[in-house]
Amino acid sequence: MAKLTASRQKALLRKYALNVKFLMMLASIILIVYTLPKQAKFGYEFEKGRIWNQRDLVSPYSFAILKTPAEIEADTKAALATVTPIYQKDNEMGLRQLEGFRNDLEIKWHNAGLPERLKNTYLQTGINILTNAYEKGIIKLNAKYQQAGKNYPVTILNNNIATDKNTADLFTRETATTYADAEITKIPALDKAFILNLVQDRLQNNLNYDAKLTARLEKEVTDNLSITRGMVQKGENIIAKGSVINDEAYQKLSSYKKAFEDNARNNGNRGLVLLGQFLLAGITISLLMIFLYLFRKDIYDDNRLVSLILLVITAMLATLSLAIKLQLPNFYYIPYCIVPIIIRILFDTRLALNIHLLVVLIAGFFVPNSFEFAFYEITAGMVSIYSIKNLIRREQFLISALLITFTYFVSFIGISLIREGSFTTIDWTEFIPFAVSVLLTLLAYPLIYLFERVFAITSELTLIELTNTNAPLLREMAFSAPGTFQHSLQVANLAENAIYAIGGNALLVRAGALYHDIGKMENPLFFIENQISAFNPHDKLPYEESAQIIIRHVSKGIEMARKANLPEIVIDFIRTHHGNTRVDYFYQSFLKNFPEKFINENIFRYPGPIPFTKETGVLMLADSIEAASRSLKEPDEESISILVDRIVKYKLDQNQLNDSNITLKDLETIKQIFKRMLMSIYHVRIDY
């Protein structure tokens, strides 16, 4: 089977790009629908203490009113109080201890020095005490059942025959010892210490707590408890419009919601539920695609970027679905703000806000208190986007996290005051999920790095790293081509200020400016800014060769940039900063010195392409103007103004800015900024 070439593969992808896009959309919708809970959505939101502003709610069927958790807890406590703990009587214990007493007496009698005639009395006294104690029962009290007092009722099982007693009627080891002491005291002829020591050693518990059987009885009792208290009949009014949702109304509404969900789960059409979810997910993804088509055509046309956006949306909704299935105690633990942060860093503010709104809208269908949820997450998401509008420092992530936390906190207090009407009744522990959510939002940083690598995207974080002058390529240029390095810094300052004024990515243009001339490091002395003596290597070369050396710094720069793994979006600045203009100095010199010779003009022309974005267009202008300004012998306001106007006009005449999306108004702004900055650089005094 023939293997497709890379160019053929790209051609096929372009040909079927629209089909692939629709397949990705469909796959995303199916995945979202597959992960979402498959149950009908209750149509009403309600809170205790609020006014019921809906129409009168009439029950469409009969349902039981559920007890409140407090009522169930009280009933459970009352039911458990009716269960007496079970103790199993160990009849063998008494027999073993009586036999043991006899043996102990026999062993210790010979060394006791007591009268032989009293031996039988000692024996009989001990046997009587032990027999009475074990017949009555010796028990170890359980603190669990001593809440109402020291003694409590028990059920004693003796050969499967149950007898109800109270621990007050039984012995403990302590009370049995007291009983033995009293009985021995009645016989003065006995050595009390000797006989009491023997008896006490043989007093053991013969009533043993049966935890397993007791727990089973308690479970049977609690399982048989009713969790309902009354009925709402079909056609009965649940709550009237304008009524306050008091405890009773709240319980009826909660019971109706539970009955509705159970009824929908058992009798609802699962296929229609799926259809509804498919329509909701479908319209959401469609709105996103329409937004991209109308406002970000560059992203819409790139299926790689579309797939990334769909992946982020699907992953977030799948996370919410997993939390619902795992019955997470609070859905605010989920870091919803991670989506707008990732989209903002990788794309732009408008797209981040649009996607965040769509995600929150879908999530709102499956979380309780949908309006509160939407308010919390939309406001926090907007703050997360605004706080990193211009990302120039890494610590902005931490600042953003603090601002998101503050937004959550203010919203939490506001909603709590509306709900409770008092500071003292606010449960501050309910804010913990929001704090955890903000901490999890910091996971955006490693995720951005992952997405950059997988989808070949350059984020502002990467651009920040690239603009660090300690980056390897820039350090090398500062050492081997210091003049070029200084030129690049000046170009970066000019271009950054200009693009900031007309609207564009200032960080990107700065990175492009710093790297646009790295190809000059191959032959730095062939470029005038690096020549520190009167010697010029071009003096010994033909004009054609000199032109090729100058032109080659573009291709060499692209080669060096790719070897250093610079992003393609930065390499574009290297490729386009001279467009397809001529190296006029050497071209005109050739014509002047060899008018009779025919020469191919393309030898003196850069290969292009011309700039195709605002940023690359501004860099071309900044590069040419900064380089030309160094040739001014006496820079003043007039000469700088003439220079800037001349070079901008030349670029326009050469059609170098045709694809750069720079307007004439933008050009006027750019010229004014360049003029002002160059006068500052050359310390030109302005006449007032």
Side-chain angles (χ1 to χ4, degrees):
M1 185 175 182
K3 186 177 180 180
L4 292 175
T5 63
S7 59
R8 179 59 177 164
Q9 290 176 0
K10 290 180 180 178
L12 287 173
L13 287 175
R14 284 194 298 271
K15 181 178 179 181
Y16 297 106
L18 189 59
N19 295 338
V20 172
K21 200 184 313 294
F22 281 124
L23 285 175
M24 289 193 300
M25 291 173 59
L26 183 60
S28 179
I29 294 168
I30 291 172
L31 284 173
I32 291 171
V33 172
Y34 175 77
T35 58
L36 289 176
K38 303 300 182 291
Q39 64 182 49
K41 171 73 174 175
F42 188 63
Y44 303 97
E45 296 279 342
F46 55 92
E47 286 184 42
K48 195 179 296 185
R50 303 292 290 273
I51 302 295
W52 180 261
N53 291 318
Q54 309 281 350
R55 69 181 191 281
D56 289 1
L57 185 59
V58 178
S59 176
Y61 42 74
S62 299
F63 63 89
I65 302 174
L66 299 172
K67 292 179 180 177
T68 65
E71 290 173 331
I72 292 175
E73 183 180 355
D75 289 351
T76 301
K77 190 174 181 180
L80 291 176
T82 65
V83 178
T84 56
I86 307 298
Y87 284 81
Q88 296 281 0
K89 187 171 185 180
D90 185 358
N91 293 313
E92 295 297 321
M93 176 62 75
L95 297 176
R96 289 195 302 271
Q97 297 306 323
L98 285 171
E99 185 62 30
F101 172 75
R102 291 189 182 94
N103 293 335
D104 291 346
L105 180 64
E106 192 66 39
I107 292 170
K108 295 182 179 181
W109 180 262
H110 299 293
N111 297 324
L114 298 174
E116 190 67 28
R117 59 185 174 78
L118 294 176
K119 181 178 181 182
N120 191 55
T121 304
Y122 277 95
L123 178 63
Q124 199 59 46
T125 300
I127 288 174
N128 290 340
I129 292 171
L130 291 171
T131 300
N132 291 337
Y134 283 114
E135 284 182 356
K136 188 173 183 180
I138 304 175
I139 190 173
K140 181 179 180 181
L141 297 178
N142 192 324
K144 175 183 176 182
Y145 302 102
Q146 291 181 305
Q147 304 298 321
K150 180 180 178 182
N151 294 301
Y152 53 89
V154 295
T155 298
I156 297 174
L157 284 182
N158 186 9
N159 296 323
N160 291 327
I161 298 174
T163 305
D164 292 329
K165 288 193 175 183
N166 193 288
T167 56
D169 302 323
L170 303 172
F171 284 126
T172 63
R173 289 188 66 190
E174 292 77 14
T175 58
T177 301
T178 303
Y179 163 74
D181 184 275
E183 291 298 311
I184 294 169
T185 303
K186 293 177 182 179
I187 309 173
L190 300 180
D191 184 337
K192 182 178 178 180
F194 175 75
I195 184 66
L196 183 59
N197 186 54
L198 290 175
V199 171
Q200 189 175 5
D201 288 344
R202 293 300 169 178
L203 290 173
Q204 302 294 329
N205 299 326
N206 71 328
L207 298 178
N208 300 312
Y209 176 60
D210 192 336
K212 188 175 181 181
L213 181 56
T214 304
R216 192 174 75 188
L217 292 175
E218 290 176 344
K219 186 176 185 303
E220 288 177 0
V221 169
T222 54
D223 287 348
N224 290 328
L225 285 175
S226 173
I227 61 171
T228 63
R229 53 168 176 82
M231 294 284 294
V232 172
Q233 300 298 327
K234 180 179 180 180
E236 183 179 341
N237 197 29
I238 299 174
I239 187 170
K241 182 177 181 179
S243 301
V244 176
I245 303 176
N246 56 24
D247 291 343
E248 182 67 22
Y250 182 82
Q251 205 56 31
K252 284 185 179 181
L253 288 168
S254 298
S255 303
Y256 176 45
K257 180 180 179 181
K258 179 69 166 56
F260 172 85
E261 291 173 348
D262 290 343
N263 186 60
R265 190 178 297 112
N266 296 327
N267 304 321
N269 190 324
R270 183 180 172 87
L272 292 179
V273 173
L274 282 172
L275 176 61
Q277 292 182 345
F278 185 87
L279 292 174
L280 287 177
I283 194 172
T284 302
I285 299 300
S286 298
L287 285 172
L288 172 62
M289 290 298 113
I290 292 171
F291 175 85
L292 293 177
Y293 181 81
L294 294 177
F295 303 106
R296 287 304 303 269
K297 198 72 163 55
D298 56 324
I299 298 176
Y300 178 84
D301 291 336
D302 192 335
N303 283 343
R304 172 177 52 90
L305 301 181
V306 172
S307 66
L308 169 58
I309 293 170
L310 293 177
L311 174 63
V312 172
I313 295 173
T314 305
M316 176 50 66
L317 293 174
T319 302
L320 173 63
S321 300
L322 180 63
I324 294 172
K325 290 176 182 177
L326 295 177
Q327 297 183 340
L328 201 68
N330 194 310
F331 294 124
Y332 292 110
Y333 282 111
I334 301 173
Y336 301 96
C337 289
I338 205 170
V339 171
I341 288 176
I342 289 174
I343 299 300
R344 165 62 194 89
I345 298 298
L346 295 179
F347 299 101
D348 65 24
T349 299
R350 287 188 305 167
L351 182 58
L353 183 58
N354 187 279
I355 289 176
H356 184 58
L357 290 175
L358 293 177
V359 169
V360 170
L361 286 175
I362 292 183
F365 279 96
F366 303 97
V367 297
N369 298 323
S370 301
F371 177 78
E372 285 186 10
F373 169 82
F375 184 85
Y376 276 124
E377 299 309 331
I378 290 175
T379 53
M382 292 170 72
V383 168
S384 69
I385 294 170
Y386 299 160
S387 61
I388 52 176
K389 179 180 181 294
N390 294 308
L391 185 64
I392 56 176
R393 299 185 307 276
R394 292 178 185 275
E395 57 264 31
Q396 283 182 254
F397 271 114
L398 294 177
I399 296 172
S400 176
L402 291 175
L403 290 173
I404 294 170
T405 305
F406 179 74
T407 304
Y408 274 139
F409 186 69
V410 173
S411 301
F412 175 78
I413 291 176
I415 290 175
S416 297
L417 289 176
I418 292 173
R419 185 188 300 161
E420 306 290 343
S422 170
F423 273 107
T424 57
T425 56
I426 295 177
D427 184 0
W428 297 103
T429 59
E430 291 184 2
F431 186 71
I432 293 176
F434 295 100
V436 173
S437 170
V438 174
L439 290 176
L440 293 175
T441 299
L442 295 176
L443 290 173
Y445 188 81
L447 286 175
I448 289 168
Y449 178 82
L450 177 65
F451 289 143
E452 280 189 285
R453 294 296 175 267
V454 174
F455 292 91
I457 298 174
T458 304
S459 74
E460 291 183 351
L461 293 173
T462 298
L463 294 176
I464 290 173
E465 293 174 352
L466 291 176
T467 54
N468 185 344
T469 53
N470 286 316
L473 273 178
L474 297 181
R475 284 179 62 86
E476 183 183 350
M477 183 165 63
F479 178 76
S480 62
T484 300
F485 180 69
Q486 291 301 319
H487 161 71
S488 298
L489 289 175
Q490 295 285 22
V491 171
N493 291 333
L494 289 170
E496 185 177 25
N497 280 277
I499 202 68
Y500 191 83
I502 68 171
N505 192 330
L507 197 56
L508 174 61
V509 82
R510 183 170 188 82
L514 289 174
Y515 289 90
H516 79 284
D517 269 345
I518 58 173
K520 292 181 179 180
M521 287 191 286
E522 181 187 31
N523 294 302
L525 294 179
F526 281 85
F527 299 89
I528 192 168
E529 66 266 23
N530 298 310
Q531 295 170 5
I532 57 177
S533 66
F535 172 72
N536 188 339
H538 288 291
D539 294 341
K540 297 183 178 182
L541 296 176
Y543 296 122
E544 308 95 292
E545 188 174 344
S546 290
Q548 285 300 301
I549 290 174
I550 298 298
I551 291 170
R552 193 163 60 237
H553 87 274
V554 172
S555 58
K556 187 61 181 178
I558 294 171
E559 180 185 330
M560 294 173 69
R562 285 181 174 155
K563 187 176 180 181
N565 293 317
L566 292 187
E568 283 296 320
I569 197 171
V570 175
I571 295 175
D572 286 339
F573 287 88
I574 303 174
R575 186 184 294 113
T576 62
H577 74 279
H578 284 294
N580 54 16
T581 57
R582 286 194 310 259
V583 185
D584 269 339
Y585 175 79
F586 293 110
Y587 179 68
Q588 296 299 335
S589 296
F590 180 88
L591 293 180
K592 181 179 178 181
N593 289 280
F594 304 100
E596 74 285 356
K597 286 188 177 181
F598 173 79
I599 186 69
N600 184 358
E601 183 186 304
N602 290 331
I603 294 176
F604 295 89
R605 190 175 290 279
Y606 286 98
I610 62 175
F612 47 82
T613 64
K614 274 188 178 183
E615 289 80 6
T616 52
V618 167
L619 174 70
M620 169 184 272
L621 295 174
D623 179 45
S624 299
I625 289 170
E626 200 285 331
S629 70
R630 292 170 179 263
S631 65
L632 293 174
K633 294 180 180 179
E634 294 184 4
D636 54 23
E637 183 179 358
E638 182 181 359
S639 62
I640 288 174
S641 180
I642 292 171
L643 173 75
V644 171
D645 291 339
R646 176 171 57 81
I647 291 179
V648 171
K649 183 177 184 302
Y650 175 77
K651 298 298 182 184
L652 285 173
D653 292 342
Q654 294 292 314
N655 300 319
Q656 297 300 301
L657 301 177
N658 284 6
D659 298 337
S660 63
N661 199 30
I662 297 176
T663 65
L664 293 175
K665 182 180 178 181
D666 291 337
L667 284 176
E668 288 302 316
T669 303
I670 291 168
K671 287 193 294 184
Q672 292 304 315
I673 290 172
F674 285 171
K675 291 174 184 178
R676 185 176 67 251
M677 290 187 68
L678 287 173
M679 284 190 286
S680 297
I681 292 170
Y682 293 109
H683 308 291
V684 176
R685 187 178 181 88
I686 301 174
D687 294 329
Y688 293 100

